[in-house]
Amino acid sequence: MTRNLLVALSLIVLSACSNTPDWDYDKSVEFANYKTFSWSPDTANFDKGAQNYQISELMEKRVRNAIITEMAQHGLSLVENAQADVMVNFHAAVDTKLDVDTFNTSYSARWNYWGVGWNTQTQAREYEVGTLVIDVIDRASNQLVWRGAKEGRLRKKESPEKRTETVNNTVRDILSNFPPKVEH
């Protein structure tokens, strides 16, 4: 019983961690100097070669709008490429994952032979996980200065409004550490 409780708690902790965005950035960059952004030419390839129907021009538009909104919240405004301090690029990927659970379902003992045992049940489920990556590139040096990413389980049969809400929340989570909090 204790072992099963520990396994269940471990799974809860792991699933909670998987929803946390991942960030990396160049510590030598003074992010306070950035006031404007434009789109990187590479963002035009958002859905190129996508194998999943959810990565589409519709999704690209949602991501662009969410980034514009969040960057404005962080004090950066969208301008033409020549006037931008940084360029923003984003891309998405979809991976298929397998979730396997094995449970001990009962304890049994037989009287006609020696021994006891557990009956086990194993279930396998295939599901899709999407990852959205947002890059911030210094326009002057053309160097990546900040990257954020978040993955999450994709839901099918969602309304356009629910998809927009999901994208907005994901972009907000990713950009919650842009510009990065300076640790002293």
Side-chain angles (χ1 to χ4, degrees):
M1 181 72 164
T2 304
R3 182 176 174 268
N4 290 343
L5 183 60
L6 287 174
V7 170
L9 288 173
S10 298
L11 288 173
I12 290 169
V13 169
L14 287 174
S15 66
C17 294
S18 68
N19 291 331
T20 304
D22 185 32
W23 303 288
D24 195 9
Y25 60 93
D26 184 343
K27 287 188 167 200
S28 68
V29 170
E30 185 59 49
F31 288 90
N33 294 335
Y34 298 143
K35 303 294 181 205
T36 58
F37 77 98
S38 66
W39 300 113
S40 167
D42 294 332
T43 58
N45 296 324
F46 178 73
D47 62 348
K48 184 179 181 183
Q51 302 296 318
N52 186 283
Y53 77 94
Q54 292 190 44
I55 297 179
S56 66
E57 290 178 21
L58 295 170
M59 191 59 74
E60 178 183 354
K61 186 176 180 180
R62 288 181 183 107
V63 172
R64 281 182 188 267
N65 290 337
I67 290 173
I68 291 168
T69 299
E70 287 306 309
M71 292 299 263
Q73 294 291 321
H74 296 281
L76 281 84
S77 54
L78 180 62
V79 297
E80 294 297 320
N81 200 328
Q83 290 83 37
D85 298 321
V86 294
M87 295 179 296
V88 174
N89 186 20
F90 58 91
H91 51 278
V94 175
D95 295 313
T96 302
K97 297 209 176 180
L98 187 63
D99 192 13
V100 179
D101 294 318
T102 301
F103 297 100
N104 294 323
T105 56
S106 66
Y107 177 78
S108 64
R110 301 245 175 161
W111 299 110
N112 58 349
Y113 67 90
W114 288 94
V116 294
W118 293 93
N119 292 326
T120 59
Q121 179 180 0
T122 301
Q123 294 180 340
R125 292 173 301 288
E126 202 172 72
Y127 62 96
E128 293 179 325
V129 173
T131 303
L132 178 63
V133 178
I134 301 174
D135 292 332
V136 177
I137 301 135
D138 183 275
R139 190 182 65 79
S141 67
N142 201 32
Q143 297 294 311
L144 178 68
V145 294
W146 186 91
R147 172 173 273 184
K150 184 175 180 184
E151 72 175 24
R153 195 170 191 159
L154 294 180
R155 308 282 184 220
K156 295 184 180 187
K157 300 180 184 174
E158 285 188 325
S159 69
E161 295 81 13
K162 182 63 178 163
R163 289 178 199 266
T164 300
E165 178 185 337
T166 300
V167 167
N168 289 344
N169 291 337
T170 300
V171 169
R172 184 179 309 112
D173 286 349
I174 293 171
L175 291 175
S176 68
N177 192 34
F178 182 83
K181 311 322 182 244
V182 179
E183 298 174 13
H184 294 284

